[in-house]
Amino acid sequence: MSIQLQIEATRGSARAGTLITPHGEVETPVFMPVGTLASVKGVSQDVLEELGVQILLSNTYHLYLRPGIETVRQMGGLHRFMSWDRAMLTDSGGFQVFSLNDLRKVSEEGVAFRSHLDGSPHFLSPEKAMEIQIGLGADIIMAFDECTEYPADAQRARASMELTLRWAERCKKYFEEHKGEVPWGSSQPSALSSQQKQVLRFAQDDNSKGHWKGQTQALFGIVQGGMDAALRRESAGRTIDIGFPGYAIGGLSVGEPRELTRDIVESTLEHLPSDQPRYLMGVGTPEEIAQYAQSGVDMMDCVLPTRAARHGLLFTSEGKVSIKQARYAQDESALDPACDCRVCQRYSRAYLRHLYASNELLAQVLNTVHNLRFYLATMRSVRGWIRAGRGATPPVC
Ligand SMILES: [Zn+2]
């Protein structure tokens, strides 16, 4: 057993539950902050814990280039390297590689690309993406897929979907043959504090190298099919036939209208197993993540709260606040009076505006802390709404 979703309440299509991973439990539906380079920009791990983050996402492509997989593996995997004992997910690197446009070439075997850092040549295949993600050691890893571009004609969308399906089979085959190579516990975790050791809930099994009582990573399959509902249905069915412990909806937020994203999500969700995790990749605004959770999505990630924070755009219960505006220069009120985060409890809008206008590093830190808290609180209210059953007020969306 690598992962388990316990569904504890349902309301319409929505479900609330607990995702049990080798590195702890995750309340679902969940928003996963993005820590691209094994770091959520500007926010330390102890603050992430205080915010209530139970699962983080890191990017395979970026970690592969820097610091390199062998370094992370030598350091005992991503959890130990970045001192994060809670659950983690890595993407396959596919999305970033496909975003390189002029720097990549796709073949049946995989994708040749050039590093955005120094132009050096690299090659990513389904097998290589698995090898890298096993070396990183996240609890949940993703199949290497082709993210179909938008717009794509019917022939192109089908060809891309078929390639993703063939790659999904190769990913699963490699993963099944190599999943025992995950770096967890392969050496004594001497660098861990006593508190960290306490958090590690799976005692090391001395008889099996690198296993925490037989736990392994979970490999998720990804549904593609462009913006065609019929192709999405076919992709879902054939990905399920290959068989994964969880399924993601990929290939969205690639430039299509928001209404189309929603239609494709809705039409894909109904074809995914009801008893397994459903992960919608790369969305969205607070309103959108609340909507998708109410539609039955269990897991979501997005760079929006962290990236927007660094640009002074803050999400609050009263709507968006662009903290750079002069109107906040002498505003003594809290950023969001309804927010319980350490920023809103302590600082005024005037101070936050000053920090941003002065280009102080602290502006990025505080803005990110608040935005993450707002996203996490949004999901907490959706979970409460699902669990409350009848009579409760639905979350704002
Ligand atoms: Zn706040």
Side-chain angles (χ1 to χ4, degrees):
M1 180 62 76
S2 57
I3 203 168
Q4 191 187 350
L5 178 65
Q6 294 177 346
I7 295 171
E8 289 144 9
T10 59
R11 184 166 186 174
S13 304
R15 3 38 107 79
T18 305
L19 184 65
I20 301 169
T21 81
H23 289 84
E25 297 181 354
V26 177
E27 293 174 90
T28 62
V30 65
F31 175 77
M32 304 184 287
V34 178
T36 300
L37 275 159
S39 163
V40 176
K41 293 187 195 314
V43 185
S44 61
Q45 277 68 318
D46 54 307
V47 175
L48 294 174
E49 289 166 358
E50 180 190 293
L51 284 168
V53 176
Q54 294 175 318
I55 180 168
L56 271 186
L57 184 146
S58 269
N59 291 122
T60 288
Y61 167 80
H62 292 283
L63 293 168
Y64 161 77
L65 292 178
R66 205 169 45 184
I69 300 313
E70 206 39 49
T71 296
V72 177
R73 186 193 280 278
Q74 294 279 332
M75 297 305 294
L78 208 44
H79 288 92
R80 280 187 64 194
F81 179 55
M82 65 179 287
S83 188
W84 178 258
D85 292 327
R86 299 184 182 180
M88 211 179 296
L89 179 150
T90 49
D91 64 5
S92 70
F95 187 80
Q96 267 85 19
V97 168
F98 285 102
S99 306
L100 292 173
N101 290 323
D102 298 340
L103 299 172
R104 61 160 163 85
K105 188 168 186 296
V106 183
S107 65
E108 181 67 31
E109 189 53 31
V111 185
F113 64 98
R114 289 190 177 275
S115 161
H116 73 286
L117 296 174
D118 60 7
S120 57
H122 299 271
F123 191 79
L124 214 46
S125 65
E127 292 79 12
K128 185 71 180 174
M130 291 298 99
E131 180 191 341
I132 293 169
Q133 289 187 85
I134 291 169
L136 293 172
D139 301 273
I140 299 170
I141 68 176
M142 302 304 299
F144 188 68
D145 62 330
E146 183 180 49
C147 183
T148 313
E149 69 282 358
Y150 176 83
D153 63 31
Q155 192 181 1
R156 164 67 193 141
R158 169 164 287 282
S160 178
M161 181 197 80
E162 297 282 356
L163 181 65
T164 286
L165 285 164
R166 290 192 297 275
W167 284 0
E169 288 191 17
R170 285 166 57 186
C171 284
K172 183 176 179 184
K173 181 172 187 294
Y174 186 95
F175 176 72
E176 290 299 329
E177 290 168 357
H178 296 269
K179 61 187 177 184
E181 295 165 17
V182 69
W184 308 331
S186 55
S187 59
Q188 286 296 323
S190 55
L192 299 183
S193 67
S194 57
Q195 187 190 359
Q196 288 172 319
K197 285 174 183 168
Q198 201 177 351
V199 172
L200 289 170
R201 56 184 57 248
F202 299 101
Q204 187 175 7
D205 181 353
D206 291 333
N207 296 322
S208 63
K209 284 179 191 169
H211 291 187
W212 295 92
K213 282 206 167 167
Q215 295 279 318
T216 62
Q217 299 171 285
L219 170 63
F220 279 21
I222 302 179
V223 175
Q224 289 285 351
M227 303 299 159
D228 182 326
L231 272 188
R232 288 275 170 179
R233 182 179 68 233
E234 182 178 341
S235 175
R238 289 170 63 186
T239 308
I240 292 164
D241 286 345
I242 297 170
F244 296 95
Y247 296 92
I249 303 174
L252 295 173
S253 297
V254 288
E256 77 281 10
R258 290 288 167 90
E259 281 182 18
L260 184 54
T261 314
R262 188 178 170 93
D263 288 348
I264 293 297
V265 171
E266 300 276 354
S267 64
T268 306
L269 278 172
E270 61 187 277
H271 304 297
L272 297 180
S274 59
D275 59 346
Q276 289 180 285
R278 304 155 166 177
Y279 165 28
L280 177 57
M281 306 175 82
V283 294
T285 64
E287 294 79 11
E288 287 167 345
I289 64 167
Q291 284 173 349
Y292 289 131
Q294 289 174 63
S295 300
V297 172
D298 303 305
M299 306 161 64
M300 281 166 278
D301 76 282
C302 192
V303 294
L304 184 58
T306 42
R307 183 174 290 167
R310 298 197 299 279
H311 291 95
L313 183 63
L314 301 165
F315 299 99
T316 79
S317 59
E318 298 167 347
K320 281 186 270 192
V321 168
S322 177
I323 201 67
K324 69 185 77 170
Q325 291 178 356
R327 59 192 283 206
Y328 300 119
Q330 294 181 25
D331 188 338
E332 290 184 333
S333 56
L335 171 59
D336 183 353
C339 179
D340 63 356
C341 87
R342 54 160 71 193
V343 179
C344 294
Q345 294 298 309
R346 182 155 190 169
Y347 305 108
S348 66
R349 290 179 171 184
Y351 183 62
L352 294 175
R353 193 257 173 188
H354 158 71
L355 291 177
Y356 189 84
S358 309
N359 204 22
E360 281 292 324
L361 287 178
L362 188 58
Q364 303 200 357
V365 174
L366 298 183
N367 291 348
T368 305
V369 166
H370 166 78
N371 268 1
L372 283 180
R373 184 66 185 170
F374 189 77
Y375 265 66
L376 295 168
T378 299
M379 296 310 271
R380 186 177 56 195
S381 71
V382 175
R383 291 195 297 268
W385 177 82
I386 298 168
R387 288 179 184 275
R390 284 164 157 264
T393 311
V396 178
C397 60

